């Protein structure tokens, strides 16, 4: 009976196993599977049958780690605590959809760029921009396994190249001629000319925890068309609160909203459905709003669409 078993009489002197190392190596050469080797070890153990059920399971797990290791597939997750609900909120607040022309600053390995490209479905461009001497990593984009049509819609260029399309910057074109030509090659001449005509991007998403939100959005917001939405992620509240205040003072946006996404996962099993007892609740913060045109002639703000009417 199991109840009467114990390990008091067992002595670990390495003599209980009759299989030698040579025997195990020979089994490997003959192509024996890990489970077969474990069963052979159990069958040739003089003490396995005398162990308690708990000790038997412990012995089996120990041999499994050595002869039949298993790979545990875990769900991939981005760095900087960008959860799936936070990413969904960023895309929704920026109104990313078919035919959207999206400008992104992606410092989470390409997760944001890939998510935008997936939602666009090859209908328009997602432009990944960066400042500094080197672009940010986009390795995660490869994991999406996009087809060639969608891959052609993912472009990357330095922020200086985009700023060339703004009025009053013609004097910088010669200085950045090579970068400008590279951008035309990557993004397509028509897409580039649309920027020079002042059409702007239809939405902006910034996920750059290492950058100051206000300094970043102040430079990128003029690249948007009027009435275009934007969303910014940061892992701390205060930088976004400061950015929101400055945007209001400068009268650059309307409807600014600071959100804290919250998600709780559930374990769903037969007769055991309940929230996970241990999980990381923090998901960062998201600042969103809509760019507007500032009418400096009468001291107020005016939406471009309203002005047209």
């Amino acid at each position: 009976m199991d109840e009467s078993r114990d390990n008091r009489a067992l002595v670990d002197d390495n003599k209980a196993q009759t299989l030698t190392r040579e025997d195990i190596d020979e089994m490997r050469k003959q192509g024996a599977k890990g489970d077969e080797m474990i069963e052979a070890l159990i069958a040739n153990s003089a003490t396995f049958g005398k162990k308690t059920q708990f000790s038997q399971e412990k012995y089996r797990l120990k041999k499994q780690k050595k002869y039949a290791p298993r790979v545990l597939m875990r769900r991939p997750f981005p760095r900087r605590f960008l959860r799936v609900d936070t990413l969904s909120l960023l895309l929704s607040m920026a109104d990313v959809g078919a035919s959207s022309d999206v400008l992104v600053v992606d410092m989470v390995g390409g997760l944001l760029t890939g998510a935008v490209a997936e939602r666009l479905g090859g209908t328009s461009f997602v432009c990944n921009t960066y400042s500094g001497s080197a672009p940010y990593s986009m390795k995660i984009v490869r994991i999406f396994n996009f087809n060639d049509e969608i891959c052609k819609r993912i472009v990357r260029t330095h922020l200086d190249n985009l700023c060339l399309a703004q009025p009053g910057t013609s004097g910088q074109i010669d200085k950045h001629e090579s970068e400008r030509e590279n951008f035309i090659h990557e993004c397509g001449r028509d897409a580039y000319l649309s920027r020079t005509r002042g059409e702007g991007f239809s939405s902006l998403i910034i996920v750059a925890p290492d950058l100051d939100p206000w300094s970043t959005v102040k430079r990128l917001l003029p690249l948007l068309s009027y009435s275009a939405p934007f969303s910014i992620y940061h892992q701390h509240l205060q930088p976004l609160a400061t950015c929101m205040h400055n945007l209001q003072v400068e009268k650059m946006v309307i409807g600014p909203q600071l959100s804290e996404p919250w998600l709780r996962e559930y374990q769903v099993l037969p007769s055991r459905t309940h929230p996970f007892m241990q999980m990381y609740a923090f998901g960062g913060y998201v600042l969103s709003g809509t760019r507007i045109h500032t009418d400096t002639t009468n001291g107020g703000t005016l939406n471009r669409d309203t002005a047209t009417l």
Side-chain angles (χ1 to χ4, degrees), residues 83 262-266 275-279:
R83 294 190 320 223
W262 192 85
L263 173 71
R264 186 160 196 178
E265 297 184 62
Y266 278 75
F276 280 112
M277 304 307 295
Q278 294 182 351
M279 57 181 298

Side-chain angles (χ1 to χ4, degrees), residues 24-184:
I24 296 175
D25 291 340
E26 184 63 27
M27 292 179 64
R28 284 175 170 169
K29 292 178 181 179
Q30 295 177 2
K33 297 181 179 180
D35 293 339
E36 296 174 353
M37 296 175 65
I38 293 173
E39 293 302 324
L41 289 168
I42 292 175
N44 288 273
S45 174
T47 58
F48 183 82
K50 302 176 183 179
K51 296 177 181 287
T52 62
Q53 185 176 0
F54 175 81
S55 296
Q56 289 179 350
E57 185 63 24
K58 185 178 179 181
Y59 177 88
R60 185 183 295 272
L61 290 175
K62 181 180 178 181
K63 298 304 179 183
Q64 184 179 39
K65 290 180 179 179
K66 186 173 182 180
Y67 298 104
R70 295 182 179 180
V71 178
L72 178 61
M73 302 297 292
R74 295 187 180 275
R75 184 177 59 186
F77 63 93
R79 296 176 296 175
R80 306 290 186 180
F81 315 114
L82 187 61
R83 294 190 320 223
V84 60
D85 60 312
T86 306
L87 178 60
S88 301
L89 182 63
L90 285 167
L91 298 178
S92 298
M93 290 297 189
D95 195 24
V96 177
S99 301
S100 297
D101 200 4
V102 188
L103 177 63
V104 301
V105 179
D106 182 351
M107 294 184 69
V108 286
L111 177 73
L112 174 62
T113 305
V116 173
E118 183 179 47
R119 182 168 290 194
L120 293 179
T123 59
S124 189
F125 287 98
V126 49
C127 183
N128 183 310
T129 188
Y130 62 95
S131 59
S133 58
Y136 310 128
S137 172
M138 291 178 57
K139 294 181 179 179
I140 297 180
V141 174
R142 301 191 187 99
I143 303 176
F144 283 84
N145 294 322
F146 290 136
N147 56 38
D148 291 340
E149 183 60 31
I150 296 181
C151 288
K152 292 177 182 178
R153 302 285 179 163
I154 302 174
V155 299
R156 178 162 57 181
T157 186
H158 198 280
L159 180 57
D160 289 344
N161 299 327
L162 296 176
C163 292
L164 295 177
Q166 293 181 264
T169 58
S170 57
Q172 301 177 5
I173 291 181
D174 292 337
K175 179 181 178 181
H176 300 280
E177 183 67 25
S178 60
E179 290 88 345
R180 183 173 67 91
E181 292 300 329
N182 290 336
F183 177 55
I184 294 174

Side-chain angles (χ1 to χ4, degrees), residues 280-296:
Y280 192 75
F282 177 72
Y285 303 91
V286 175
L287 173 62
S288 58
T290 304
R291 188 206 175 191
I292 57 173
H293 172 63
T294 302
D295 184 7
T296 57

